[in-house]
C-alpha cells in the first residue's frame, strides 16, 4: 500500500484547489502526486479526514404527466471549449445536505420544482467523480420535476440551456453529443425503463 508522507497546498481559491502529495509507492520509490480538490484547506482533504462527505449533487429528474421525459442541461464548459450534456448539478453550500442542495440547484438552473423521492443509500450516497485526479464526490437526488422551465435563476458565469428530452432525443444525445459520464450511465437506465416508471432500477413502484 502506498504512503502519503507530506501534503502541500499550492493554491487558495474558493471553489477548487491544487495540492502536491509527496508519496512512497509500494516498491519504496518516492514521487509526487497531484490532486485537485474542492477542499479549502489541507485539513479538509478526504485523504486527511478519511470521510466521504458530498462536495456536490447531481439531479436525475423526470418531467411530464407520463414521466417520459428527463431534465437535462446543455452547458458550455471551458475544459473542452464546447457544450456538454449533463444533469443539473452544483456544489453543496456550507452545512447543506446534498439532498437539500439538489432541490435548490434544480430550481436555480432550470426554474423547476423537484419532488424528491426516497431511495436506498446505495443509490444516492456520494460517489467519487474522477478519482485519478480529484477527491471530489457527489450525491445523487432523484425525483419528479414540475413547473415552467426558466433561466432566471442562473448565474452570469453559467451558459446553460435547459433540455427536456424524451427517449428518442436521449438516444440521439448519447450517439452524437458530448455527455458527462455520470449522466450518460443514468440515461442508459432511462432508455430501458418501462412507460411511466423511469426509476424502476431504484425499486420505485409504478403508480
Amino acid at each position: 500500500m502506498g504512503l502519503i508522507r507530506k501534503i502541500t497546498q499550492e493554491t487558495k481559491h474558493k471553489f477548487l484547489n491544487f495540492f502536491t502529495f509527496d508519496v512512497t509507492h509500494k516498491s519504496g520509490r518516492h514521487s509526487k502526486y497531484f490532486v485537485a480538490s474542492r477542499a479549502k484547506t489541507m485539513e479538509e482533504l478526504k485523504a486527511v479526514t478519511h470521510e466521504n462527505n458530498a462536495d456536490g449533487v447531481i439531479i436525475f429528474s423526470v418531467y411530464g404527466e407520463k414521466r417520459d421525459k428527463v431534465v437535462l442541461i446543455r452547458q458550455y464548459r471551458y475544459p473542452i471549449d464546447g457544450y456538454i450534456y449533463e444533469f443539473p448539478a452544483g456544489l453543496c453550500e456550507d452545512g447543506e445536505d446534498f439532498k437539500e442542495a439538489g432541490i435548490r440547484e434544480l430550481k436555480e438552473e432550470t426554474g423547476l420544482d423537484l419532488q424528491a423521492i426516497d431511495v436506498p443509500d446505495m443509490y444516492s450516497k456520494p460517489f467519487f467523480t474522477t478519482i485519478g485526479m480529484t477527491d471530489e464526490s457527489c450525491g445523487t437526488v432523484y425525483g419528479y420535476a414540475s413547473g415552467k422551465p426558466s433561466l432566471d435563476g442562473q448565474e452570469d458565469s453559467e451558459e446553460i440551456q435547459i433540455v427536456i428530452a424524451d427517449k428518442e432525443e436521449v438516444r440521439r444525445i448519447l450517439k452524437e453529443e458530448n455527455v458527462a459520464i455520470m449522466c450518460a450511465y443514468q440515461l442508459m437506465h432511462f432508455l430501458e425503463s418501462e412507460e411511466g416508471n423511469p426509476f424502476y432500477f431504484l425499486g420505485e413502484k409504478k403508480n
Side-chain angles (χ1 to χ4, degrees), residues 80-192:
I80 61 172
D81 188 25
Y83 284 87
I84 187 168
Y85 283 81
E86 307 171 72
F87 282 133
L91 296 177
C92 300
E93 297 179 351
D94 290 343
E96 185 180 38
D97 179 82
F98 75 83
K99 296 176 183 177
E100 297 172 347
I103 295 171
R104 174 181 56 77
E105 285 289 348
L106 187 73
K107 186 68 172 180
E108 290 177 359
E109 291 193 349
T110 70
L112 299 174
D113 297 308
L114 180 68
Q115 178 190 343
I117 60 174
D118 291 325
V119 300
D121 285 347
M122 64 179 287
Y123 296 112
S124 64
K125 71 175 189 177
F127 289 108
F128 293 99
T129 56
T130 313
I131 195 59
M133 60 187 297
T134 177
D135 67 352
E136 181 189 61
S137 67
C138 290
T140 306
V141 175
Y142 305 84
Y144 305 105
S146 62
K148 183 178 179 181
S150 170
L151 303 176
D152 291 346
Q154 294 181 13
E155 298 178 4
D156 178 66
S157 60
E158 296 176 318
E159 295 184 43
I160 295 176
Q161 301 167 4
I162 303 165
V163 178
I164 309 296
D166 60 14
K167 287 188 176 182
E168 182 178 354
E169 177 63 4
V170 166
R171 287 191 180 91
R172 187 200 67 78
I173 290 169
L174 287 174
K175 289 178 181 179
E176 300 177 8
E177 304 287 354
N178 292 323
V179 186
I181 192 168
M182 294 184 292
C183 177
Y185 284 143
Q186 296 285 29
L187 290 180
M188 295 173 197
H189 281 298
F190 176 71
L191 286 179
E192 296 301 317

Side-chain angles (χ1 to χ4, degrees), residues 57-70:
V57 62
I58 63 173
I59 306 103
F60 180 3
S61 62
V62 294
Y63 187 82
E65 291 184 5
K66 296 183 178 180
R67 298 175 175 175
D68 58 349
K69 297 178 178 64
V70 63

